[in-house]
Amino acid sequence: MPVRKTACSGNISIPRPGGDQTPFVYSGTLIVQGQGIAVVRATGALTEFGRIGKSLQSLEQEETLLQKETRRLVRKIALAGLFICVLVVVIYGLSRVAG
């Protein structure tokens, strides 16, 4: 989506880039009309994208509802299978003793 930007003739005191009328552009910005010259002020982790990436790294990954339900179902099936195995062994043992 094209956004109009204003020209900047020197240092500007805006705390963080953002907004349509500011002279700041981000990596991958395309000029769709006119001309543009940009000065790189930061790279890597010091850019807005870098700050966003760094903040995303600090988030802890939570289990989804599907993962929780699947874990519960697998646990129930495993316990049922274990119970059936024990039951078969007991019945087999009792049938050998009685017979």
Side-chain angles (χ1 to χ4, degrees):
M1 174 75 112
V3 175
R4 183 178 306 274
K5 294 291 183 175
T6 59
C8 179
S9 60
N11 286 341
I12 188 166
S13 62
I14 295 178
R16 295 184 78 172
D20 293 347
Q21 296 299 321
T22 62
F24 295 102
V25 294
Y26 294 107
S27 173
T29 299
L30 299 174
I31 298 174
V32 295
Q33 184 178 3
Q35 297 178 349
I37 297 175
V39 175
V40 176
R41 299 239 174 153
T43 59
L46 300 176
T47 64
E48 287 300 307
F49 285 141
R51 287 186 186 108
I52 292 170
K54 190 173 184 179
S55 69
L56 289 177
Q57 285 179 341
S58 65
L59 294 177
E60 293 182 20
Q61 192 172 17
E62 295 181 13
E63 286 186 336
T64 64
L65 183 59
L66 178 64
Q67 289 172 324
K68 291 177 185 178
E69 292 293 326
T70 303
R71 179 171 288 114
R72 189 177 311 146
L73 179 65
V74 167
R75 187 177 301 127
K76 286 180 180 180
I77 291 173
L79 288 174
L82 184 63
F83 175 74
I84 291 171
C85 286
V86 169
L87 187 64
V88 166
V89 168
V90 168
I91 292 173
Y92 180 76
L94 290 175
S95 68
R96 286 298 199 193
V97 171

